[in-house]
Amino acid sequence: MLTVDRFLELVPVVMTPVGAPPRPLNDEQRDCVGLQTGEPLMIVAGPGSGKTAVLVLRALRHLLVDGFLPEEVVVTTFTRKAADEIRTRLLEWGRAFLDLLVNEDNPALQAFLGQVDLNRFVTGTLDSLSQNVMGERRRSGEVPPNVIEGFAANQILKFRGGLNRGVRDIDAGRVNLYFDTFSPRRNRYNRNAKDLVKAAREVIDRMTHDLVDTASFGAAEPFADVRQMLCNVREQYYTYLRQSGRYDFALLELEFLQRLLDGEMDASVVRWRALLVDEYQDTNALQEAIYFGICQRAQIAFTVVGDDDQSLYRFRGATVELFREFVARAEQALQVRPQIRWLHRNYRSTGDIVGFYNGFVACDAEFQAARVAGKPPVTAEFGGEPFPILGMFRPTRDDLARDLAGFLFDVFRTDGGYTSLNNADIVVRRSDTGDFGDSVLLAHRASETNTSGDPRLPLLLRRELSARGVEVFNPRGESIETVPIARELLGLMLEALDPASANWPNGQLCADLQRADPANGVYPAFGRDVAAEFAAWRATARTVDQTQVVGGRRLSDVVRGWSVAELMGGGEDAGGYTGRDRPLSDLFFQLISYLPTLRTRSENQVYMEAIARSVAEAAAYSRYQAQIVREQFDESRSAAIRDVLVPIAQGELTLDEDTVPNVPRSVFPIMTIHQSKGLEFPLTIVDVASDFRTNHHLQKMFRFPEAASNTAMLESQIDPHTPIRGLRTARSDLHRTFEDLVRLYYVAYSRPQRVLLLVGLLPCINGRTNIKSVPLHWRFDSSWPWENAGNTIADVPFEVI
Amino acid sequence: MLLPVRPPAHIVPSYSLTGDLLSFTKCRLQYRFYQGTALPPARPVQRWFGDFVHGVLENAYRQWQTSEPRPPFPWPATEPHWRDGLPDGTPPHDIGSLGWPVETALRLQGKRARNRAIRANAYGRVEAAVNMLGPILFPLISAAEERVIGTRMVIGDTTNLRANRYEVHGTIDVVTDVELAAVPADNLIRRLVEEQVPNLPEHFELIVDYKGQRRPRSGAASGYLRQYERQVQTYAWLRRQQPDALPVAAGVLIYINELLPGVQDMRLLRRHVEQGTEDVPPPRNSRDDLSIRNWIAGNDPGTALSDEYRLRRAIQVVPVTPESVAEATDWFDTVVRDIEERVRAEQEAGDVEQTWGPNCRDPQTCAACDFRYFCPGRARGDADDEAAALEEDIGD
């Protein structure tokens, strides 16, 4: 095999594209790659410090120095995209190594390389790893595990897990009161169906992620009856899923852990010799147990990489404290003390940007106790020209949107770029082939309207850019059921299944579904909120030209064809089938023929996929499997409305933006900060204060929390019943809430490569403002270092444009 | 400040040989919507039979492999009740015990038989498959559901593409490990391979792929046969990348429908035999020949033909040579290049339907396509026997 020194000598050649000067590793990176494999290794890696490169090189080191075959090396990360990136580098750099070594005079090495197939590196998310290994090692007669996602999983929870019935049996008011213990309502009304399932889902997933002792949790007061009901629903839901070979993500990992500990996975796991985990800061207790369980069953070199300051997913069960305390926890579980190393040299951003976020994360002494002890500040290695942090603050959102659109248009659509009126030295311009895709607007929330329905910055900016001929990509901007083009489709579907008539202006089947007769066990399938949404859909659908003809058929005929039993059945449009039932999906595909922009615009494709998926997945839980059956015509149409359209109207659809593989570069992207994790942009605009005109108490949770978040409260409620008890609650609920907000904006501020532009409303940066805001560096003790900052913030030049 | 250009994500794309590359060659637009936008097909029933066959045959092999002693063929067959499943005490090697968990899982994924007759037919076909293939195939198997993966270069200038390499992966239904000396000379698979592949090495592998359909005729307009041959050739290339692989002598395509032909199958077979266009004709004036020529609707198609002839029709041997592998992999390279260029073009132009314009010329594929309502390139054909037998033809 190669020596570590020889391996490191070859690294710059391997990593460098042909024709470019070699890029040597820095000392810390060399150390992380070269360190012996005897003890677990924890790498704390700041933003832009080359952590993925180090992780990949360490995996290749296991191959070429330690002599592990690719199939013995497992690399996991947090998202499919990140997994693709890691795999790409493993294949490319691995191939480059093999090409370089082909003439190496080392017979043992050559013999080993003859067995190497780089494609057999095991890479993916922990979910995909669990799914693959469980499929490989499945029990006799078992089918490979099938993963279901949010929408379908929630419907199964309601209908098959017995959540709806459980809530009714106890009394919805009491269940609401229990959920109030960690998720207070803003009004006196009971939660709607969407919020109810959301709250139940939060508790049920948390039980799994935190490996909760359900007997203890279910018996605990107050609300032991509700807790027990949730435990029972979870049990029933999991039983139903297991019996059908389906798993949601939490159950998949739980099942994998149980089978791992039972030794059922040994045939796969014991052959592994290296486990490298990326993004470890977002690990939960269940995942930690899996990783430690693998290490305990296999003699394995264990490396974790992460950055506590970039932990974003507490609301999904991530526990940054597991990363912060990794050394002690791994030592206790594995009986060997891990080594810790730091990567702090940043190659992504200008020195001013690095200085800015260093200052941000260091400005509050309270926050330092929440970080990994001994962490060095990030240092900037990018040697480009200095450029100040920019700020654009305006009196109103309209002003802000107008000027921001003007700025973007100048940068990307005028030859000279943008020049500040205040300072002619401030010029921002694109490269020759630059376009809007080189920039991004990041915001805590990307929604386009606030709870009162007033437009937020993303919507105003969309309008301003649209007026200039520029398209925006922000599929999370609106709830899908309220997007006009989606409403057209959903309204046409509803009209097809249950047409409005003079006698039944909201449809006869819908009227029946709303009927309530509790004495006879009949409960309404939906309430006034859904009825109002349905009415809006129908109204929007009526704006679609019903006379248009596609493929020889008029839209009005297609719609009518689904509401008359005699028109059902075979024919050419049924794909050659002669059966008497038709899938609801067929209606979907017929209708999108009449809505061409739904198929072609980037954002609309996301909506289209979400609706199509919800229709298809209904086969898993709906009585008629989302088929319209001629013999049970009314019943099957009612089931389709109740099981598919009602949940969509309740806002339960989830989006998967990966369904648009290629957003055109001429489109301006707007993202939540969460979505931007792992990405970098030449120009990053961060919305720090466009919502905050006054010190409104309802906005405090988004800028300066003075009360604990729902997640933190639930963590504390669960704490006595989990094996990680005391770990999170060592810091108060409010501290954890506050610190999560710091981490969120730390991620936002570390995305830009060249230009960081903060945008917001003027009152927030007024020297005497009382609008406290974490993204503007307010500290936990309510002090504010910007108060007298002038043109520098955290010793970094700051220029208002 | 001059903003650098944000490069496109540098990703080595990963293509499934069947799910991506063969799909793309069937129709670009359909591929883009199903694989790119991830629209789920309205009638996964089209995939039901193929998935059912694969699942049952895999279960059967696992059962055969792990049973001690091994239950002798033929294995019993109990068709499960559609709702209640099987009676207690049904033996684990009963075809019903092998099929019911597969059927249940598929149903919960929205995939189900179109009607009772098709379901019964499917159980009949997997019974025939297990009992006719099991004795001659199972003893040769070294791996089932073998996942194979390899990396190839994207051909041509890749400056503006996502990467200069691509991954291609697939799952081989069965890999056999054949030592000629250890296989009885009357094993039909051995005989058919020996007929097709001269100078067999003493120790070699076969790549077996089950097809839940009838045997396509050579020269059929859809060109499926050619695609399937390229598929097994590429599996052979992928298998060769694996360190533990033996030389691959041939691919073996097994068309399950031929083991228990249906009415449509017999009707087509009679027509092709009468026209002299049948690829695997029965010996002139043999019992099978007479059965086919005299077959009329109403006869039981399941008993019309001999086991030997049905197996010969079901099994197609595709010899694997370095040249044939190179031809197939080169062809897939051009397919990937085409896809990658379109990915890039869509990112530049943003127009899906222009960039991925439909190119399907097969009326059967178009008739079953969810995008047929608006597709400007929809191919239309006469509603002849083959189109009417759509369900029996579609598989994987």
Side-chain angles (χ1 to χ4, degrees):
Chain A
M1 303 312 302
L2 295 180
T3 63
V4 169
D5 287 343
R6 175 72 178 137
F7 177 83
L8 290 170
E9 192 182 305
L10 296 176
V11 163
V13 186
V14 164
M15 290 174 64
T16 308
V18 177
R23 288 186 303 181
L25 298 180
N26 65 39
D27 291 346
E28 294 82 8
Q29 290 171 328
R30 286 174 64 91
D31 189 28
C32 288
V33 174
L35 204 66
Q36 290 303 313
T37 57
E39 299 98 28
L41 172 61
M42 176 194 195
I43 300 173
V44 184
S49 61
K51 78 175 165 66
T52 306
V54 165
L55 193 78
V56 168
L57 289 171
R58 194 160 169 83
L60 290 169
R61 167 237 152 85
H62 288 317
L63 176 76
L64 298 169
V65 177
D66 303 319
F68 303 168
L69 286 167
E71 53 268 42
E72 298 168 344
V73 178
V74 179
V75 188
T76 71
T77 184
F78 197 66
T79 63
R80 278 175 298 179
K81 270 189 179 166
D84 287 345
E85 188 186 343
I86 285 171
R87 189 162 188 85
T88 293
R89 294 201 200 178
L90 273 173
L91 291 173
E92 292 192 339
W93 295 350
R95 188 72 256 162
F97 262 119
L98 298 191
D99 290 347
L100 275 178
L101 293 173
V102 76
N103 295 321
E104 194 92 349
D105 183 17
N106 182 336
L109 176 69
Q110 296 304 338
F112 173 76
L113 294 182
Q115 305 173 57
V116 168
D117 174 7
L118 294 171
N119 297 102
R120 298 175 81 154
F121 274 113
V122 183
T123 60
T125 62
L126 184 55
D127 295 318
S128 69
L129 181 74
S130 305
Q131 188 179 10
N132 290 340
V133 178
M134 277 171 58
E136 270 174 34
R137 304 294 160 206
R138 64 186 183 272
R139 296 165 182 164
S140 181
E142 198 176 49
V143 293
N146 195 290
V147 176
I148 53 165
E149 300 193 35
F151 182 82
N154 280 348
Q155 306 318 310
I156 293 172
L157 185 67
K158 283 193 293 189
F159 297 122
R160 306 286 182 172
L163 178 64
N164 284 354
R165 192 173 54 250
V167 171
R168 274 201 307 269
D169 289 350
I170 286 184
D171 173 62
R174 184 163 171 75
V175 174
N176 273 283
L177 285 176
Y178 165 67
F179 288 145
D180 285 351
T181 60
F182 64 87
S183 175
R185 280 168 290 175
R186 288 191 195 168
N187 56 44
R188 62 191 171 82
Y189 300 109
N190 281 347
R191 288 171 174 76
N192 62 21
K194 173 196 172 189
D195 290 339
L196 205 62
V197 76
K198 188 177 162 200
R201 164 67 64 189
E202 206 172 341
V203 178
I204 285 168
D205 281 354
R206 175 65 68 170
M207 283 190 226
T208 304
H209 290 145
D210 281 3
L211 297 170
V212 162
D213 176 346
T214 50
S216 147
F217 175 76
E221 293 288 359
F223 297 103
D225 53 344
V226 183
R227 292 172 186 233
Q228 189 57 52
M229 180 270 288
L230 290 171
C231 292
N232 295 344
V233 166
R234 175 177 177 267
E235 187 61 35
Q236 198 173 324
Y237 165 68
Y238 280 177
T239 301
Y240 179 79
L241 290 182
R242 281 189 175 109
Q243 282 172 348
S244 56
R246 286 175 305 173
Y247 298 84
D248 65 15
F249 290 119
L251 178 62
L252 183 72
E253 291 180 356
L254 182 65
E255 190 72 21
F256 181 70
L257 174 66
Q258 286 168 351
R259 295 187 187 197
L260 174 74
L261 299 181
D262 289 344
E264 285 185 63
M265 304 290 109
D266 276 358
S268 292
V269 169
V270 296
R271 72 179 183 211
W272 293 342
R273 299 174 73 186
L275 172 63
L276 303 99
V277 183
D278 192 16
E279 305 282 4
Y280 197 87
Q281 75 279 357
D282 284 318
T283 295
N284 61 40
L286 167 60
Q287 293 165 337
E288 181 196 63
I290 291 173
Y291 292 131
F292 287 174
I294 292 170
C295 292
Q296 286 158 348
R297 298 196 84 79
Q299 291 297 315
I300 208 161
F302 186 30
T303 301
V304 303
V305 183
D307 183 8
D308 51 305
D309 290 333
Q310 297 185 68
S311 175
L312 293 184
Y313 289 96
R314 188 186 293 280
F315 68 95
R316 281 194 204 159
T319 300
V320 64
E321 293 81 0
L322 295 172
F323 182 71
R324 197 179 66 206
E325 304 300 327
F326 175 80
V327 171
R329 295 183 64 78
E331 183 175 16
Q332 189 180 17
L334 308 176
Q335 306 301 312
V336 52
R337 188 167 179 79
Q339 303 248 18
I340 184 167
R341 293 290 186 274
W342 316 93
L343 292 177
H344 60 88
R345 296 177 198 266
N346 175 288
Y347 296 89
R348 173 186 296 158
S349 311
T350 64
D352 291 324
I353 292 169
V354 171
F356 180 79
Y357 64 71
N358 268 339
F360 172 69
V361 81
C363 77
D364 190 347
E366 281 281 342
F367 182 68
Q368 307 314 307
R371 306 176 74 196
V372 175
K375 193 175 191 176
V378 176
T379 56
E381 300 294 326
F382 172 72
E385 57 180 302
F387 195 78
I389 307 304
L390 303 182
M392 179 183 284
F393 294 87
R394 298 291 184 268
T396 69
R397 275 197 289 268
D398 288 319
D399 295 337
L400 182 59
R402 184 197 59 231
D403 290 355
L404 186 53
F407 166 83
L408 285 166
F409 196 82
D410 284 351
V411 171
F412 292 109
R413 286 291 179 270
T414 60
D415 289 340
Y418 167 85
T419 304
S420 170
L421 293 175
N422 302 335
N423 180 348
D425 291 337
I426 303 297
V427 177
V428 183
R429 59 194 173 87
R430 65 170 169 88
S431 301
D432 287 345
T433 55
D435 214 328
F436 283 93
D438 299 328
S439 61
V440 68
L441 171 66
L442 301 182
H444 192 155
R445 294 167 298 149
S447 54
E448 300 200 341
T449 54
N450 62 23
T451 49
S452 310
D454 296 330
R456 297 183 65 241
L457 180 63
L459 178 55
L460 297 171
L461 186 60
R462 178 193 291 275
R463 287 175 182 163
E464 291 287 346
L465 286 173
S466 177
R468 293 165 172 81
V470 180
E471 198 181 315
V472 166
F473 183 75
N474 179 25
R476 289 186 190 277
E478 292 177 81
S479 252
I480 185 168
E481 70 279 5
T482 65
V483 174
I485 185 76
R487 277 186 165 173
E488 288 180 10
L489 173 64
L490 293 164
L492 288 169
M493 289 179 80
L494 188 58
E495 278 289 307
L497 294 172
D498 186 20
S501 64
N503 289 340
W504 304 99
N506 295 311
Q508 187 172 0
L509 298 175
C510 283
D512 201 44
L513 284 167
Q514 274 190 283
R515 193 168 60 85
D517 184 5
N520 290 309
V522 177
Y523 298 91
F526 58 87
R528 276 179 296 187
D529 52 345
V530 169
E533 193 64 43
F534 277 2
W537 291 0
R538 288 182 196 269
T540 312
R542 280 183 211 114
T543 66
V544 180
D545 177 9
Q546 305 281 323
T547 64
Q548 57 177 310
V549 175
V550 175
R553 293 197 70 187
R554 186 192 291 257
L555 174 57
S556 56
D557 292 341
V558 168
V559 171
R560 183 166 169 270
W562 285 79
S563 60
V564 179
E566 289 68 33
L567 298 179
M568 289 286 298
E572 193 187 27
D573 275 341
Y577 293 110
T578 53
R580 293 178 163 223
D581 51 344
R582 294 181 71 181
L584 188 61
S585 294
D586 223 12
L587 172 60
F588 166 88
F589 283 113
Q590 279 190 316
L591 294 177
I592 63 171
S593 313
Y594 298 89
L595 305 169
T597 60
L598 192 62
R599 308 191 302 265
T600 49
R601 283 197 56 214
S602 309
E603 270 181 347
N604 293 349
Q605 283 186 50
V606 179
Y607 305 139
M608 181 170 71
E609 186 274 342
I611 295 170
R613 185 161 35 87
S614 69
V615 172
E617 286 180 344
Y621 60 83
S622 183
R623 184 166 172 206
Y624 294 93
Q625 300 185 330
Q627 308 266 333
I628 306 303
V629 181
R630 187 167 163 177
E631 279 72 22
Q632 285 96 29
F633 197 53
D634 286 354
E635 295 88 337
S636 58
R637 285 185 300 146
S638 291
I641 294 169
R642 183 190 61 224
D643 299 341
V644 180
L645 297 183
V646 168
I648 293 175
Q650 283 165 342
E652 293 187 42
L653 264 192
T654 49
L655 298 181
D656 180 0
E657 283 137 78
D658 286 348
T659 55
V660 181
N662 305 294
V663 178
R665 280 177 46 74
S666 57
V667 173
F668 178 69
I670 298 177
M671 292 183 189
T672 65
I673 297 170
H674 286 95
Q675 288 171 268
S676 74
K677 180 81 178 68
L679 302 179
E680 59 187 27
F681 295 86
L683 163 62
T684 304
I685 302 160
V686 182
D687 178 359
V688 290
S690 74
D691 284 324
F692 314 138
R693 200 172 344 188
T694 64
N695 186 23
H696 197 289
H697 69 282
L698 285 181
Q699 294 176 330
K700 285 183 180 174
M701 63 176 150
F702 298 114
R703 54 179 170 82
F704 193 87
E706 291 180 351
S709 67
N710 298 352
T711 303
M713 283 193 281
L714 181 59
E715 283 178 343
S716 291
Q717 190 181 111
I718 292 276
D719 191 63
H721 315 287
T722 163
I724 57 168
R725 90 180 52 90
L727 182 68
R728 294 182 290 227
T729 49
R731 294 188 70 71
S732 74
D733 292 1
L734 182 58
H735 273 96
R736 298 202 304 282
T737 305
F738 198 91
E739 287 151 9
D740 285 345
L741 200 56
V742 175
R743 294 187 184 105
L744 186 75
Y745 281 92
Y746 182 77
V747 168
Y749 295 156
S750 52
R751 297 308 95 200
Q753 293 170 290
R754 301 292 179 269
V755 178
L756 170 60
L757 169 61
L758 312 183
V759 299
L761 297 185
L762 210 45
C764 294
I765 57 162
N766 181 322
R768 286 171 298 177
T769 185
N770 64 346
I771 309 172
K772 298 180 220 171
S773 180
V774 166
L776 294 174
H777 294 211
W778 283 77
R779 304 181 182 109
F780 192 77
D781 65 3
S782 291
S783 61
W784 188 33
W786 286 25
E787 202 164 2
N788 301 304
N791 278 349
T792 59
I793 293 169
D795 298 326
V796 172
F798 182 74
E799 190 79 32
V800 172
I801 61 172
Chain B
M1 173 64 77
L2 179 67
L3 300 174
V5 172
R6 184 168 185 253
H10 181 70
I11 293 295
V12 171
S14 183
Y15 288 107
S16 156
L17 189 55
T18 51
D20 291 312
L21 302 186
L22 288 181
S23 298
F24 177 80
T25 58
K26 254 182 201 171
C27 177
R28 293 187 292 247
L29 188 66
Q30 190 187 59
Y31 165 80
R32 172 62 182 79
F33 278 128
Y34 282 148
Q35 303 302 122
T37 309
L39 295 179
R43 294 177 190 274
V45 64
Q46 295 157 9
R47 305 265 172 85
W48 180 81
F49 182 56
D51 287 357
F52 182 70
V53 165
H54 283 81
V56 177
L57 285 174
E58 193 199 350
N59 274 356
Y61 171 66
R62 283 170 177 257
Q63 185 65 39
W64 180 85
Q65 188 188 32
T66 54
S67 297
E68 192 57 51
R70 285 173 175 155
F73 292 104
W75 290 2
T78 311
E79 188 184 324
H81 182 269
W82 67 272
R83 186 187 57 221
D84 303 332
L86 290 159
D88 289 343
T90 308
H93 65 284
D94 188 287
I95 304 301
S97 301
L98 304 170
W100 180 244
V102 178
E103 187 187 1
T104 306
L106 290 174
R107 186 170 59 242
L108 290 164
Q109 293 166 28
K111 300 175 189 172
R112 56 181 186 159
R114 184 73 182 159
N115 57 41
R116 197 176 302 170
I118 287 174
R119 178 175 182 268
N121 198 12
Y123 270 98
R125 282 184 169 151
V126 292
E127 178 196 347
V130 170
N131 285 327
M132 293 173 76
L133 292 171
I136 56 173
L137 179 62
F138 288 178
L140 309 181
I141 293 178
S142 60
E145 295 286 305
E146 178 75 1
R147 188 171 156 78
V148 284
I149 187 165
T151 309
R152 298 183 59 81
M153 300 302 289
V154 177
I155 55 174
D157 179 10
T158 56
T159 311
N160 292 319
L161 303 184
R162 289 186 288 189
N164 59 2
R165 290 185 165 83
Y166 73 94
E167 261 192 321
V168 58
H169 61 85
T171 302
I172 301 176
D173 292 336
V174 164
V175 177
T176 68
D177 178 347
V178 180
E179 275 190 79
L180 277 182
V183 180
D186 63 347
N187 182 304
L188 183 64
I189 294 174
R190 171 182 172 166
R191 277 165 43 209
L192 292 174
V193 171
E194 282 176 327
E195 283 174 17
Q196 294 287 323
V197 185
N199 306 319
L200 272 175
E202 181 54 31
H203 199 181
F204 59 88
E205 283 183 355
L206 299 172
I207 285 172
V208 179
D209 198 61
Y210 304 128
K211 298 291 182 194
Q213 61 176 88
R214 74 165 64 94
R215 181 182 186 126
R217 282 185 302 142
S218 58
S222 59
Y224 288 139
L225 191 63
R226 192 81 192 92
Q227 310 287 45
Y228 297 155
E229 287 172 357
R230 284 177 171 141
Q231 179 191 342
V232 292
Q233 299 289 353
T234 306
Y235 280 154
W237 180 82
L238 289 165
R239 180 67 184 147
R240 210 171 59 199
Q241 311 308 304
Q242 297 186 301
D244 58 340
L246 293 167
V248 176
V252 177
L253 294 162
I254 300 182
Y255 301 102
I256 299 296
N257 290 23
E258 301 295 346
L259 297 172
L260 187 65
V263 172
Q264 285 294 341
D265 299 312
M266 287 303 291
R267 190 175 293 158
L268 284 170
L269 183 57
R270 188 182 63 188
R271 183 198 299 171
H272 297 151
V273 166
E274 285 171 352
Q275 293 172 347
T277 54
E278 174 54 44
D279 292 337
V280 190
R284 186 78 184 162
N285 292 329
S286 66
R287 177 179 160 268
D288 291 318
D289 188 42
L290 296 173
S291 294
I292 293 166
R293 290 176 188 276
N294 296 325
W295 192 85
I296 53 169
N299 289 0
D300 178 2
T303 56
L305 304 176
S306 67
D307 283 6
E308 163 93 12
Y309 181 56
R310 281 190 280 162
L311 277 166
R312 278 188 172 271
R313 289 187 53 74
I315 298 172
Q316 183 197 351
V317 175
V318 181
V320 170
T321 64
E323 294 74 27
S324 64
V325 168
E327 190 279 334
T329 50
D330 287 353
W331 186 78
F332 280 118
D333 286 344
T334 63
V335 172
V336 168
R337 171 83 204 181
D338 193 358
I339 296 175
E340 287 300 310
E341 283 178 356
R342 288 173 202 278
V343 166
R344 178 70 185 168
E346 185 186 334
Q347 195 174 32
E348 291 299 327
D351 189 319
V352 173
E353 291 178 19
Q354 285 263 316
T355 309
W356 304 83
N359 61 327
C360 184
R361 289 191 294 272
D362 175 19
Q364 279 193 30
T365 302
C366 291
C369 177
D370 288 315
F371 314 109
R372 62 189 180 276
Y373 304 111
F374 62 83
C375 178
R378 176 176 176 177
R380 292 174 188 274
D382 297 332
D384 61 5
D385 289 341
E386 295 198 36
L390 189 63
E391 276 174 359
E392 295 178 30
D393 270 6
I394 294 172
D396 192 17

